[in-house]
Amino acid sequence: QAAGAAGLVADLRRALEERDAKVAAAQDKREQLEGARLVATQRRGDLEAAFQERLEREVSQKEQELLEEVGYLRKTQELKEKKLRDLASEKEALERKAGGASVAAARAGLAARGSERVAEGPPIEPHVALARAAGHIEAGTALEHPLLALLDAPSLRLSAALLKRPLLRRLFFLSSILAWGLGL
């Protein structure tokens, strides 16, 4: 019996040693995993910090680019406005030099004559330019004949109506053809 008990004790000691070895191996494995987890946690923190820094740097860079672009656009707008003012003043100077009729000069000339057309407004610049191109040099000035000034606005309205309404335009041209036919 003693031999059986000694064998049993030896078996139990061996099993205990195996378990102790397994527990020690498990503790070593656990410590390794804990160390790896700490390293991973630290690396994650470093990566998050680096990402945040890079993100802030990129946002700052983009803000700077946008501010520079806004400044460039404002400067461009100011230059365009200045060029527009310069061109307008140059146009006025050229009109004064050429003795042409600007809208303000035409209004002043009509007001000096006491014309009723002042209420309607002076002739528009393209109309004045077309009249001058056709040989009517006094168009839009105080030298313009009063009868021409009276007929000017209705003829412009008729032209606008003919351009806007196709039926009216067809009737006008048909009546023009009939008048020519009867005249021949």
Side-chain angles (χ1 to χ4, degrees), residues 67-137:
L67 288 173
E68 288 173 2
E69 188 172 345
V70 165
Y72 172 75
L73 290 174
R74 283 185 181 154
K75 184 185 255 187
T76 304
Q77 181 67 22
E78 289 172 3
L79 288 174
K80 285 181 181 179
E81 288 175 357
K82 182 182 179 201
K83 187 174 184 178
L84 185 63
R85 286 190 302 268
D86 291 345
L87 289 174
S89 64
E90 184 179 335
K91 178 185 169 196
E92 288 176 14
L94 287 174
E95 283 181 350
R96 281 192 303 266
K97 257 187 195 176
S102 66
V103 174
R107 185 182 300 268
L110 291 172
R113 283 193 327 208
S115 174
E116 293 80 30
R117 282 188 67 209
V118 174
E120 295 175 14
I124 57 175
E125 289 182 25
H127 176 68
V128 171
L130 286 173
R132 286 187 179 171
H136 184 54
I137 304 300

